[in-house]
Amino acid sequence: VDFAAHSNPVDMTPQTSSLNYREVMAELAGDEQIGGLLAINVGLDRQEFARGLVAARNESQKPVLAYTLDTPQLDGILQENGIHNFPTLEGALRGFHALLNAHTLADTDEKQTFEPVEPGSEEAELWLKLCGKPQSNEFEVKQLLQAWGMPVVRERLVRTRGEIETAAQELGFPLVLKICRDEIIHKTEVGGVVLDIRNMSALLGAWERMEKKFPGGPFLLQEMAQAEVELILGGRRDPLFGPVVMVGLGGTGVELFRDIALGLAPLTEARARHMLQKLKSYPLLQDFRGRGPLAEEAVVEGLVRLSALMCEHGEIGELDLNPLLVGKDGVRAADAAMLIGM
């Protein structure tokens, strides 16, 4: 067609017959020099455009994204066939750039240097218990994390004064006391956390106050672990992309700074490291102000293991480790939460 633009980007123009859409898209998708398609359509709501794009994707098995405006008929067809239609052109370009980065990383992925944890019978029994309810308490979630090779802080589940005294002697001060119930995820908001408990008298006083507010507990007694940096590791199950893993600056800075990076599971070490290096706060893991580098490789391994856990158990809708305490010698999860289902 003389009036169409044949270079990159290809412009079929509104004058092009809708009968040509599929042929043109198939020709582009079949070109060995083209790695994917980004289809743009503004206001020309012809279903042949969407069906031609779907056919080109199916035949070439190449990645396809779209940006359309005022095209409800196209939107429905694209959505039904799993082609993501971005709300803005800028978003579509960023999505296409992300696909390019993912492909580049895939070419450079190295073999994992650690042996994945093989879930055993103990993990299987725990999982059967956890997947039978919509959400689990912190202690149970961290047991699952440990079964997958992710370190957590030392802690004990307690209910009585005697159990608290014994656990305190085992763990040593300072300590943290938390309410530990399935239905309470945000423990701080309900007054269910006491930090930096320095001696037995203070611990028993804190327990008595917590017992009045939450009769029968149970409670979680933890070591008051310190860290150079607090991160958040998380996973979400997206209806379109499947399991998505996240890392970012954690603790109280999560909502304030929103310094996060996302990646599609399963992650390899290269992709996990790339996510970590994208953070604005990444320099904190280096030799910041002369205090020496932190355990970056332990964070990378934690991301890989978390992504494997999300892939293995498709019932997990959300999983958060916040904060993940990062020091020079390793990492430990101080808190964790999990939801079953989307």
Side-chain angles (χ1 to χ4, degrees):
V1 181
D2 294 337
F3 50 78
H6 301 155
S7 59
N8 189 7
V10 173
D11 183 2
M12 290 185 284
T13 77
Q15 294 95 325
T16 300
S17 169
S18 59
L19 299 177
N20 295 329
Y21 289 157
R22 178 166 181 164
E23 183 179 356
V24 172
M25 292 178 180
E27 184 71 21
L28 291 173
D31 191 325
E32 293 183 357
Q33 299 184 62
I34 295 178
L37 300 181
L38 171 56
I40 301 172
N41 190 318
V42 181
L44 200 61
D45 197 12
R46 296 175 180 171
Q47 66 170 330
E48 292 86 357
F49 183 91
R51 298 201 182 283
L53 188 60
V54 171
R57 189 275 312 274
N58 292 344
E59 292 168 5
S60 69
Q61 294 299 304
K62 292 181 179 178
V64 171
L65 302 177
Y67 162 66
T68 71
L69 182 64
D70 296 329
T71 53
Q73 186 174 218
L74 300 187
D75 297 348
I77 296 173
L78 295 175
Q79 184 175 1
E80 289 172 6
N81 289 275
I83 295 179
H84 192 66
N85 190 10
F86 288 83
T88 66
L89 179 57
E90 291 79 5
L93 292 172
R94 285 196 294 269
F96 207 75
H97 184 255
L99 283 176
L100 176 62
N101 284 342
H103 178 73
T104 302
L105 283 170
D107 288 341
T108 60
D109 278 346
E110 72 272 19
K111 187 177 180 180
Q112 295 179 0
T113 57
F114 64 90
E115 291 296 326
V117 173
E118 292 293 337
S121 58
E122 183 178 347
E123 190 272 349
E125 291 179 7
L126 175 62
W127 176 247
L128 287 175
K129 176 182 178 182
L130 297 186
C131 71
K133 51 187 179 179
Q135 61 193 47
S136 304
N137 64 61
E138 177 185 342
F139 182 69
E140 293 172 330
V141 176
K142 284 196 282 193
Q143 283 184 305
L144 181 65
L145 294 176
Q146 283 184 294
W148 279 79
M150 286 179 271
V152 305
V153 297
R154 295 186 303 124
E155 60 190 18
R156 302 288 186 273
L157 192 65
V158 295
R159 289 178 174 82
T160 66
R161 176 178 177 138
E163 290 175 344
I164 287 179
E165 291 177 331
T166 300
Q169 292 172 356
E170 294 174 352
L171 297 172
F173 292 96
L175 294 168
V176 178
L177 184 66
K178 300 178 179 179
I179 181 62
C180 188
R181 292 180 179 175
D182 294 356
E183 69 274 15
I184 302 178
I185 295 181
H186 303 292
K187 297 177 282 291
T188 304
E189 296 178 5
V190 296
V193 179
V194 182
L195 301 172
D196 200 20
I197 302 172
R198 293 281 174 171
N199 52 58
M200 188 66 74
S201 176
L203 173 59
L204 294 177
W207 171 71
E208 289 174 358
R209 293 190 297 273
M210 292 270 273
E211 177 66 24
K212 290 180 181 179
K213 186 177 296 187
F214 308 102
F219 304 100
L220 199 56
L221 192 63
Q222 297 177 338
E223 61 175 330
M224 182 76 181
Q226 301 298 319
E228 296 285 351
V229 172
E230 293 186 354
L231 296 180
I232 178 173
L233 268 59
R236 299 287 187 278
R237 195 161 304 278
D238 184 87
L240 180 61
F241 294 104
V244 179
V245 180
M246 175 265 289
V247 63
L249 189 63
T252 57
V254 175
E255 297 181 358
L256 179 61
F257 298 108
R258 297 187 181 277
D259 180 21
I260 63 171
L262 303 174
L264 298 180
L267 293 177
T268 60
E269 288 187 24
R271 297 188 187 191
R273 189 175 294 106
H274 180 70
M275 288 171 57
L276 196 59
Q277 293 171 349
K278 286 169 61 178
L279 298 177
K280 295 178 182 177
S281 53
Y282 174 69
L284 294 176
L285 300 178
Q286 306 303 296
D287 189 5
F288 187 68
R289 294 188 174 180
R291 57 115 163 87
L294 303 185
E296 177 181 340
E297 292 307 308
V299 180
V300 170
E301 181 175 332
L303 273 169
V304 174
R305 292 195 186 280
L306 179 63
S307 77
L309 174 58
M310 291 290 296
C311 291
E312 176 69 20
H313 294 304
E315 299 90 340
I316 298 177
E318 298 183 16
L319 178 58
D320 285 331
L321 286 65
N322 185 31
L324 180 76
L325 307 177
V326 185
K328 294 180 180 180
D329 299 328
V331 300
R332 288 176 292 174
D335 202 345
M338 184 176 73
L339 297 177
I340 297 296
M342 298 294 289

